[in-house]
Amino acid sequence: MIITWIVALGLIAFAQMATRNIQMVPSGLQNFAEWLVEGMYDFFTEILGKELVKKTFWFFCTLFIFILFTNWFGLVPGVGTVGWGTPDASGHLHHISQPVLRGGNADLNMTLAMSLTFFLLWTVWSLQALGAGGFLKHIFSGGDNGKGFMALLMMAIFFFVGVIEVISIAFRPVSLSFRLYGNIFAGENILESMMELIPWLGWLLPLPFYFLELLVGLVQALVYALLTSVFTALMCAHHDEGHGESHSHGEHKHAH
Amino acid sequence: MLPMFAEMGGLVHVGLAGLGSAIGVGLIGMKAAEATGRNPGAAGAIRNQAIIFAALAEGVVFFAIFLVK
């Protein structure tokens, strides 16, 4: 808990310092901040499309930056190794049971909280973009249903497709939170077990895994932000042009 | 041989999940390298997609570890 506050305060301080005196020609910290935000903006425009990115960019960019720095902050040597613990009979303290600082994303509550917030926002955005009727229509009907008996058959098929779709949508927060939690938690365990594997090597053995963890932290943050934006794009993006008027022309193009 | 089976203790599914996701990520890597070889111009897009699908494939292991008791 403390770690998330530290990372959040760090990011706020970084943003304040970067935007203290904004000049047209950016330099130093402001240049870096602008590069980061603009890079993310183009990145998400590619996925979400012009108008949707304006509405949802604030969430995805913060998500990416926050997860990235929480992951990397968890790798700082002091985290998880300084704290209270119960020494064993011979007075050696092997396991810290209550570390002062703990890796932010190495805790399922944290990742599940983020995933549920995303799920809430996802529902709000798709309802805004599609409207309640459109929302259900988008999930259950997959296209032009043809005439007569065929329509009935297709209706039944698309009903089952819709049920599967609902299940897969409901499973997304679970998979998002487990993936992030699992990767970061497993990474921490690797570092610990590598330390004890060959004691006389000491810190030399976990060193390559530290760099692996840096990469995994970046990739998991990227994947988390990307998947959330792709899920939103699936629901909201291609419906913005056809604002609710019925598709009179025959073929129903899905811009996936 | 038999005592070895006795020792297994029902965590076979984690190993199988690990095996499955490793094969998955390997296949993704193979195809991504092939695709980049065939069309170096699109290397960036291929890399992005490869990373996403590899992460999706990796997610399976954690379901096996945490979800199934």
Side-chain angles (χ1 to χ4, degrees):
Chain A
M1 227 285 282
I2 307 166
I3 231 178
T4 40
W5 283 106
I6 293 174
V7 172
L9 287 178
L11 289 179
I12 293 168
F14 165 75
Q16 291 306 328
M17 272 192 296
T19 55
R20 216 144 17 105
N21 41 20
I22 293 190
Q23 310 104 349
M24 277 315 286
V25 176
S27 66
L29 207 56
Q30 186 194 340
N31 196 359
F32 173 70
E34 274 187 20
W35 166 75
L36 185 66
V37 174
E38 266 158 26
M40 294 304 295
Y41 196 84
D42 304 339
F43 182 70
F44 283 117
T45 314
E46 208 184 292
I47 303 161
L48 295 161
K50 272 281 162 291
E51 337 73 23
L52 192 59
V53 93
K54 285 197 188 63
K55 196 166 70 167
T56 60
F57 178 68
W58 59 274
F59 179 68
F60 294 127
C61 190
T62 330
L63 208 60
F64 176 74
I65 294 175
F66 183 70
I67 293 178
L68 181 63
F69 285 107
T70 319
N71 288 348
W72 282 353
F73 193 85
L75 292 176
V76 166
V79 170
T81 47
V82 172
W84 296 272
T86 49
D88 58 10
S90 61
H92 294 294
L93 181 60
H94 290 295
H95 179 61
I96 305 274
S97 43
Q98 294 107 8
V100 173
L101 287 175
R102 221 155 45 96
N105 285 324
D107 180 351
L108 192 54
N109 310 323
M110 172 74 183
T111 53
L112 200 57
M114 284 195 284
S115 310
L116 290 179
T117 341
F118 159 68
F119 193 67
L120 188 73
L121 279 172
W122 175 84
T123 325
V124 166
W125 283 329
S126 26
L127 283 180
Q128 272 172 0
L130 301 171
F135 185 76
L136 291 174
K137 194 173 79 62
H138 184 270
I139 289 180
F140 280 97
S141 93
D144 206 342
N145 290 351
K147 310 291 174 292
F149 174 69
M150 268 307 287
L152 229 62
L153 194 64
M154 293 290 273
M155 207 72 74
I157 292 172
F158 280 121
F159 176 71
F160 288 115
V161 165
V163 168
I164 294 168
E165 181 83 10
V166 165
I167 293 169
S168 88
I169 289 173
F171 190 66
R172 281 179 189 157
V174 175
S175 77
L176 278 170
S177 55
F178 268 101
R179 180 178 308 112
L180 182 58
Y181 163 65
N183 274 300
I184 305 302
F185 187 62
E188 282 188 4
N189 287 353
I190 288 178
L191 287 176
E192 271 164 34
S193 53
M194 279 308 145
M195 190 75 84
E196 280 127 20
L197 201 62
I198 309 175
W200 55 272
L201 260 182
W203 56 269
L204 199 59
L205 194 56
L207 196 59
F209 292 95
Y210 248 95
F211 293 109
L212 172 72
E213 266 314 295
L214 280 178
L215 179 69
V216 164
L218 174 72
V219 165
Q220 283 309 318
L222 175 71
V223 162
Y224 197 95
L226 211 72
L227 277 179
T228 41
S229 50
V230 163
F231 290 150
T232 319
L234 276 179
M235 277 312 276
C236 318
H238 54 280
H239 275 273
D240 280 4
E241 304 91 24
H243 264 290
E245 101 283 351
S246 68
H247 290 267
S248 52
H249 49 77
E251 42 83 28
H252 180 93
K253 55 182 180 5
H254 263 270
H256 274 290
Chain B
M1 193 57 177
L2 210 55
M4 189 187 72
F5 284 124
E7 287 302 318
M8 269 210 292
L11 282 180
V12 179
H13 62 276
V14 180
L16 290 177
L19 185 70
S21 72
I23 293 175
V25 175
L27 284 174
I28 293 169
M30 181 176 74
K31 286 300 170 185
E34 243 175 58
T36 320
R38 181 168 299 138
N39 173 6
I46 293 171
R47 188 179 357 99
N48 285 348
Q49 278 194 338
I51 290 178
I52 301 161
F53 294 135
L56 287 178
E58 244 182 294
V60 169
V61 179
F62 301 113
F63 304 147
I65 297 173
F66 299 123
L67 276 187
V68 177
K69 194 22 95 206

